Amino acid sequence: MSLVVDSIVKKFERFPALNGVSLTAPQGAFLALVGPSGSGKTTLLRILGGLEFPDSGSVHFADLNWLDVPARDRRAGFVFQQYALFKHMTVEKNIAFGLTVRAKKLRPPKEEIARRVEELLALVQLEGYNKRYPSQLSGGQKQRVALARALAIEPRMLLLDEPFGALDAKVRKELRGWLRAIHERMGITTVFVTHDQEEAFALADLVAVMNAGKIEQYGTPQDVRRAPKTPFVADFIEVQAGI
Amino acid sequence: MSAAGFRFRNPSALPGFGLSLGFTVFYLSVIVLIPIAALIVRPWEIGFSGFWNVISDPRVLAALRLSFGGAAIAAVINAVTGPIVAWVLVRYNFPGKRLLDALIDLPFALPTAVAGIALSQLYSANGWVGEPLSHLGIRIAYTPIGVIIALTFIGLPFVVRTLQPVLNDLSRDPEEAAATLGANRWQTITRVVLPSLMPALLTGATLAFARAVGEYGSVIFIAGNLPTVSEIAPLLIVIKLEQYDYAGAAAIGVVMLAASFAVILALNLLQNWIGKRR
Amino acid sequence: MKFRRYPTQDHPLSRIALSLIAIGVVTLFLVLPLATVFTEALRKGLGVAWEALDDPDARAAVRLTLITAAIAVPLNAVFGVAASWAIAKFDFKGKQFLTTLIDLPFSISPVVSGLIYVLIFGLQGWFGESLREANVKIIFAVPGIVLATIFITFPFVARELIPLMEDQGRDEEEAATSLGASGWDTFMRVTLPNIRWGLLYGVLLCNARAMGEFGAVSVVSGHIRGLTNTMPLHVEVLYNDYQFVGAFAVASLLALLALVTLVLKSLLEWRFADDIAATHRH
């Protein structure tokens, strides 16, 4: 059940977004894609989620040719940078969405869905927020609803695009520890994108430092920090640590 | 609160406030407000019972029903076709799209009398559309269906033009989110996209309805104007005026004016309600 | 590599079906009526159509339409600029209400718009008696037609300019004032250049409606051939006289006007998208 990404190439109209990207991660890994904007990390994440397709290369996950599985059948819980909550639905409707759109015979009964929503609300510490609309939530709360919504479909893979990007420093720190705890409890293969190397190193088991559509270095945070392979990685760590 | 208390306007460094506002209010009063006041005052010279007699006349009632009912049906038709047209114009690319897009405004630009005789000819028993339909036993011109066709024509751009910018600005994220959560395209459209278009759709349909209720030029040629069958309320005003029945004309006018105000009010409430929810 | 559909893309079959519906609706409701106007006008050849246009009554109708627009459009343009200056550049109580009032004529039936002037200036109107004694004719005469047209086209320029000027803010005018420019100079040299395309856009739509208005004008005109018939009214008279070719010939002139308006409008939207109101950018 490991994730194998092999020689992914993706060109947009004017620039190459991914230029032969390969990586392997074991089942249950917590993987960070880190790099400056335009390095291709979000494109790779979207390819994993089925929202974008590479020009060539392959992705294998859970013994499947992952690219042949349409987004809606992948059960890849995707958490969007701007949350992408459904504005016209309450918190509970948002969380239940992935269950209510299932075909009749696969859909859990109403009470089961309600129970699942309560569980998830407890997990993301938003008990009692069932009937709120997204507009009535703070940024951190929206982020947690988005995560609960992604977890509701019992994802095989969790994908997070700059999950803490729009939050202030204090909330960021809080949510980080908490995301790690959830990952530990569920054991889902998790990939998250960030431009903040400190965040990547603090959270992930594996870090892929990306630049200009390529992976500059891939390894554990300790390895990358101890022995930067390229001047870019050294510089990236240096510069960011200096801030 | 400052010592000044009530202040009509906030101080500004820019000149010309008195002149521009003064002219605005003066011109607005002379052209719009005073004449409307004249209309509101007029029917009551025949007393409330006289007013009621005019309004409860079966012919007047039938005309009001046709104007309001036809406008409502046309608004519903446009609320179905409008989103499809807007969707195609915003989301798809095909040759001739610009032309199609520019044509949408035709009912705004084409004089209503021209639209009226063209629709009448087109849907009459020897017109391009009316002829094939007449073989099927369907008559459109000179029936209430003709009225609805004309009102649909006049209302289409309101719905399309209200939806287009909203659709353009609509983020794709929620659609992608729905897909990753397992929704198929139909579920995504009906549960995620359409609800977020609803406010604009309601606004557009209301605008189309408001315009259609009072529409005259594009309707009277195709309607045939049979009393109590295909005679619209604005035409009845014209007929009453031709008979120098000013009070009667004004009475119908007041009813239509009240309806316009109700629509404006409903629109404002709608927009407020939407503003609060997002 | 095999074709893969993006999750935000519709199924090819739905794309085709929806496109066909859209094209069908536009054809049925917009293209065919437009085509009818021209084919009916030319049914008996260009010569017959031209005769209908060369007719003295038709010429009088064209003249009256041009005169009416020439009075109504500039007045409403000046009003639109004044109103948007007051509303966009200053904060005062009742601003929202004033904006609603300006939009009022849009939501009133054209026939009611004509009616209100008949009630004031008509024979049995408020001023009917005194006007008759002074031998001034407003209803069933040109002044009434102009008044009704002004009413109908009242909001066009203002509603283009208000959002545009609100968007542009007050910084530039305040800068000009602080540099010592007079109010007139500030307006002519700073504001007007910023709003000129929006103003032109509003004037364009205002003019199209002024020349094409039918319902309101019909009520106040009296349909006197050669005297109080505008082009749309002339179309009606000819049509009701069963002079179909003539009616459609005059109508095709108006349809051409509408097409020119649409072309110019699209051109403005495309070329000066940033300089006209935000609502028209698409």
Side-chain angles (χ1 to χ4, degrees):
Chain A
M1 285 270 276
S2 54
L3 170 67
V4 182
V5 174
D6 189 22
S7 332
I8 293 286
V9 175
K10 171 75 184 174
K11 284 191 173 59
F12 286 121
E13 261 168 51
R14 278 173 302 153
F15 61 98
L18 293 173
N19 226 334
V21 166
S22 304
L23 59 80
T24 310
Q27 160 67 23
F30 200 162
L31 171 65
L33 304 176
V34 63
S37 59
S39 59
K41 52 193 195 305
T42 296
T43 307
L44 180 56
L45 192 79
R46 287 170 60 83
I47 287 174
L48 294 176
L51 302 175
E52 205 78 67
F53 301 102
D55 303 328
S56 64
S58 70
V59 178
H60 285 270
F61 180 70
D63 299 324
L64 291 166
N65 184 352
W66 198 234
L67 295 179
D68 282 346
V69 184
R72 70 185 202 91
D73 297 328
R74 286 191 192 190
R75 278 209 280 129
F78 203 109
V79 177
F80 290 77
Q81 191 175 359
Q82 301 297 329
Y83 324 123
L85 294 177
F86 306 130
K87 290 194 195 68
H88 58 282
M89 294 183 201
T90 57
V91 166
E92 61 178 14
K93 291 259 166 59
N94 262 286
I95 296 176
F97 183 85
L99 300 173
T100 54
V101 295
R102 283 192 190 164
K104 260 238 167 70
K105 52 182 189 292
L106 296 174
R107 195 188 308 155
K110 263 206 177 115
E111 309 76 54
E112 169 67 15
I113 293 180
R115 201 183 53 75
R116 203 86 74 82
V117 168
E118 287 302 329
E119 258 175 39
L120 285 161
L121 280 173
L123 181 72
V124 298
Q125 295 161 8
L126 284 173
E127 292 107 323
Y129 281 71
N130 308 44
K131 303 285 180 204
R132 299 270 191 112
Y133 282 95
S135 60
Q136 301 166 311
L137 302 177
S138 71
Q141 291 170 332
K142 282 183 198 166
Q143 184 61 50
R144 284 184 275 158
V145 173
L147 186 62
R149 183 177 70 176
L151 291 173
I153 58 169
E154 294 171 317
R156 296 192 271 197
M157 178 193 274
L158 194 56
L159 304 168
L160 304 103
D161 187 7
E162 296 274 1
F164 312 120
L167 304 175
D168 61 55
K170 186 171 160 287
V171 184
R172 254 178 122 108
K173 284 244 159 69
E174 258 174 51
L175 280 181
R176 242 190 234 176
W178 174 81
L179 175 65
R180 178 79 217 187
I182 286 183
H183 172 255
E184 235 119 78
R185 177 149 21 135
M186 307 226 158
I188 317 166
T189 306
T190 302
V191 182
F192 80 101
V193 157
T194 179
H195 61 271
D196 178 354
Q197 57 97 6
E198 194 238 310
E199 186 167 284
F201 288 172
L203 263 176
D205 308 329
L206 288 164
V207 175
V209 182
M210 295 186 68
N211 180 40
K214 277 189 162 322
I215 294 183
E216 296 268 339
Q217 188 170 359
Y218 181 50
T220 63
Q222 295 80 357
D223 288 348
V224 174
R225 209 178 260 150
R226 202 175 319 126
K229 258 196 212 157
T230 67
F232 173 83
V233 177
D235 205 40
F236 188 70
I237 297 171
E238 186 87 347
V239 170
Q240 290 232 332
I243 294 173
Chain B
M1 272 263 93
S2 68
F6 175 84
R7 211 193 257 143
F8 172 60
R9 74 165 168 123
N10 294 335
S12 164
L14 298 179
F17 177 70
L19 181 66
S20 60
L21 186 69
F23 176 67
T24 300
V25 171
F26 169 76
Y27 191 71
L28 177 72
S29 308
V30 170
I31 300 291
V32 179
L33 300 183
I34 295 173
I36 289 180
L39 168 67
I40 296 174
V41 170
R42 191 66 189 228
W44 312 109
E45 66 189 31
I46 49 176
F48 184 77
S49 62
F51 176 82
W52 187 249
N53 279 342
V54 173
I55 296 307
S56 58
D57 171 25
R59 186 174 171 191
V60 175
L61 275 182
L64 285 171
R65 199 178 309 128
L66 181 61
S67 276
F68 282 89
I73 294 171
V76 170
I77 295 174
N78 281 325
V80 175
T81 55
I84 296 177
V85 174
W87 182 263
V88 168
L89 284 177
V90 172
R91 288 292 176 99
Y92 301 167
N93 266 318
F94 50 92
K97 183 171 128 167
R98 279 201 98 84
L99 184 69
L100 198 69
D101 190 78
L103 270 175
I104 298 294
D105 281 328
L106 190 68
F108 285 156
L110 195 67
T112 54
V114 178
I117 62 169
L119 288 170
S120 176
Q121 170 65 30
L122 188 61
Y123 287 92
S124 72
N126 55 7
W128 289 335
V129 180
E131 210 224 301
L133 286 176
S134 72
H135 292 307
L136 300 171
I138 302 170
R139 279 185 57 220
I140 290 183
Y142 318 127
T143 71
I145 302 175
V147 175
I148 292 168
I149 295 270
L151 297 181
T152 308
F153 164 84
I154 213 74
L156 181 68
F158 286 94
V159 178
V160 176
R161 290 297 187 231
T162 319
L163 280 174
Q164 255 177 323
V166 180
L167 210 47
N168 241 334
D169 292 346
L170 202 66
S171 160
R172 304 270 179 122
D173 286 0
E175 284 173 62
E176 294 187 337
T180 63
L181 292 168
N184 62 33
R185 193 69 187 139
W186 174 249
Q187 288 169 323
T188 305
I189 298 287
T190 53
R191 299 201 200 179
V192 175
V193 178
L194 275 183
S196 46
L197 293 181
M198 221 46 192
L201 184 56
L202 270 176
T203 306
T206 312
L207 290 172
F209 172 79
R211 170 70 199 262
V213 165
E215 183 54 24
Y216 177 71
S218 57
V219 179
I220 53 164
F221 297 100
I222 196 175
N225 309 324
L226 243 66
T228 76
V229 174
S230 61
E231 187 178 61
I232 53 168
L235 178 66
L236 217 46
I237 294 179
V238 173
I239 292 173
K240 295 231 181 257
L241 273 181
E242 278 167 1
Q243 298 161 348
Y244 292 99
D245 179 5
Y246 281 23
I252 304 173
V254 163
V255 171
M256 303 201 60
L257 193 67
S260 315
F261 287 154
V263 170
I264 295 177
L265 191 68
L267 257 183
N268 280 338
L269 288 177
L270 182 76
Q271 246 118 28
N272 263 339
W273 177 70
I274 292 159
K276 261 187 215 133
R277 254 188 61 174
R278 328 231 121 184
Chain C
M1 187 157 271
K2 105 177 208 213
F3 174 77
R4 293 184 173 104
R5 189 149 41 92
Y6 284 82
T8 53
Q9 267 176 347
D10 297 332
H11 191 279
L13 285 180
S14 356
R15 290 173 73 94
I16 292 170
L18 291 177
S19 302
L20 286 180
I21 293 175
I23 292 170
V25 166
V26 171
T27 307
L28 195 64
F29 283 110
L30 307 178
V31 177
L32 287 183
L34 192 62
T36 301
V37 174
F38 293 108
T39 50
E40 289 299 318
L42 299 174
R43 178 161 291 244
K44 290 180 183 151
L46 201 60
V48 183
W50 178 250
E51 256 171 50
L53 296 178
D54 208 24
D55 172 78
D57 288 346
R59 286 169 168 273
V62 173
R63 203 175 309 120
L64 182 55
T65 293
L66 292 177
I67 290 170
T68 306
I71 301 172
V73 176
L75 275 176
N76 283 336
V78 170
F79 162 75
V81 170
S84 50
W85 177 269
I87 287 172
K89 303 289 177 193
F90 300 92
D91 294 314
F92 56 92
K93 297 244 162 21
K95 192 156 119 167
Q96 193 54 49
F97 185 59
L98 183 63
T99 314
T100 308
L101 285 182
I102 289 175
D103 266 350
L104 208 55
F106 269 157
S107 41
I108 292 179
S109 169
V111 169
V112 175
S113 311
L115 169 69
I116 58 180
Y117 290 107
V118 177
L119 294 181
I120 295 181
F121 301 115
L123 216 48
Q124 299 168 38
W126 278 358
F127 304 128
E129 205 57 34
S130 28
L131 283 173
R132 200 172 50 159
E133 276 161 21
N135 211 9
V136 177
K137 273 199 86 144
I138 291 185
I139 300 304
F140 302 155
V142 175
I145 292 172
V146 173
L147 269 176
T149 305
I150 290 178
F151 182 97
I152 284 288
T153 57
F154 185 84
F156 275 96
V157 177
R159 74 146 38 181
E160 281 315 313
L161 289 185
I162 291 170
L164 178 65
M165 275 164 84
E166 276 177 341
D167 240 28
Q168 289 175 343
R170 303 163 194 183
D171 294 358
E172 290 187 33
E173 282 80 8
E174 283 171 355
T177 308
S178 74
L179 292 170
S182 69
W184 179 249
D185 278 340
T186 304
F187 176 76
M188 290 304 284
R189 296 216 226 158
V190 177
T191 310
L192 198 58
N194 278 337
I195 62 167
R196 59 188 165 179
W197 297 116
L199 180 62
L200 189 62
Y201 190 88
V203 164
L204 184 72
L205 299 186
C206 185
N207 180 65
R209 185 69 194 263
M211 290 190 171
E213 179 48 28
F214 175 69
V217 172
S218 160
V219 172
V220 295
S221 133
H223 296 85
I224 308 164
R225 272 196 187 206
L227 281 179
T228 64
N229 267 355
T230 60
M231 286 167 76
L233 296 176
H234 194 56
V235 169
E236 183 198 20
V237 169
L238 292 175
Y239 190 85
N240 288 343
D241 260 7
Y242 302 103
Q243 299 181 39
F244 294 129
V245 170
F248 279 103
V250 179
S252 59
L253 266 191
L254 288 167
L256 277 179
L257 169 76
L259 287 178
V260 169
T261 302
L262 285 186
V263 168
L264 290 177
K265 178 174 166 297
S266 303
L267 216 63
L268 280 176
E269 281 166 7
W270 172 65
R271 182 72 183 76
F272 302 105
D274 293 340
D275 301 319
I276 56 180
T279 43
H280 299 294
R281 286 176 210 148
H282 53 242

